[in-house]
Amino acid sequence: MTPLLLLTGLLASDPAGKPVDLTLEDQFGRPQQLAACRGEVVLLVYGDRRATDACRELGEKLHVAFHPSAAGQPGAKARSAPVAPLDGVPAGKRSPDVVVLPVACVGKVPGAVRELIRSQMRSAMPDVPVWLDFQGAMEEKFALRSGEPNLCVFDAQGRLRLKVNGTPDKPATDKLLQSVQNLRAEAAGLR
């Protein structure tokens, strides 16, 4: 299936763009806020139950692309791998990170089912917080292609800059990786 790429102000200076406000809970019941990641480029990889494996694969691929030492490492160690330095960042200045966040679009379910889902997620992913969308916020705000991975890219100010609904092919993935690098350069003041 051809990916649907929706560009929203990608790499353009958009002073009118407002940071996105998004708060979801993870599998441990802790609130997670997109605002907590300001200063970094954030990639939210999300999908429904049918897209679980494809989302995991895409999320891992994207994480390793920007954190090469994470390849082949277990969850906690991969998550703490350093970001690859950005060309042009002066010595002593930190390169903006790329934070890949998994979101499970669960849908509206009764409280008892929520607890069962959280328990299953804690067992399956004990080292990596998975944001759980029980309200349909991701589909409502960003659209969702069922059965496939979906992706939102936010700049360091928390503004939505790129959406990919569907499985990106090789050219789309290459463009995505370059776009993220450009957003990192923007965050570092190189653009």
Side-chain angles (χ1 to χ4, degrees):
M1 205 177 253
T2 305
L4 172 63
L5 296 176
L6 302 173
L7 305 181
T8 50
L10 183 62
L11 306 178
S13 177
D14 185 10
K18 295 186 181 182
V20 173
D21 180 29
L22 180 67
T23 301
L24 299 171
E25 286 189 4
D26 65 18
Q27 74 268 39
F28 305 104
R30 300 178 301 216
Q32 298 288 341
Q33 296 182 322
L34 188 58
C37 300
R38 297 275 159 72
E40 315 298 356
V41 177
V42 177
L43 291 83
L44 286 182
V45 179
Y46 64 101
D48 58 14
R49 183 175 174 87
R50 293 183 5 208
T52 300
D53 292 337
C55 286
R56 180 180 297 128
E57 182 180 314
L58 178 60
E60 289 174 359
K61 180 179 180 178
L62 293 171
H63 183 74
V64 168
F66 297 102
H67 306 84
S69 64
Q73 298 297 324
K77 192 163 186 171
R79 190 167 171 240
S80 66
V83 69
L86 185 62
D87 290 339
V89 173
K93 188 172 178 186
R94 185 182 74 81
S95 290
D97 202 347
V98 177
V99 180
V100 181
L101 300 172
V103 180
C105 298
V106 181
K108 297 178 182 179
V109 295
V113 175
R114 286 183 186 199
E115 290 311 312
L116 176 62
I117 291 169
R118 282 190 180 104
S119 175
Q120 291 173 340
M121 294 297 288
R122 283 191 301 270
S123 293
M125 302 288 287
D127 299 324
V128 177
V130 177
W131 296 19
L132 302 174
D133 182 5
F134 291 114
Q135 301 302 319
M138 298 303 294
E139 184 172 11
E140 181 182 311
K141 288 183 182 217
F142 310 116
L144 176 124
R145 187 174 285 180
S146 181
E148 295 191 57
N150 298 267
L151 174 75
C152 288
V153 179
F154 299 89
D155 66 18
Q157 288 76 41
R159 299 174 297 195
L160 178 64
R161 299 292 290 269
L162 174 68
K163 281 191 338 183
V164 179
N165 295 109
T167 305
D169 58 14
K170 174 80 167 105
T173 300
D174 292 344
K175 183 176 181 177
L176 168 65
L177 295 175
Q178 185 57 57
S179 296
V180 172
Q181 283 294 79
N182 292 344
L183 289 172
R184 291 180 71 206
E186 181 182 289
L190 301 175
R191 292 186 178 256

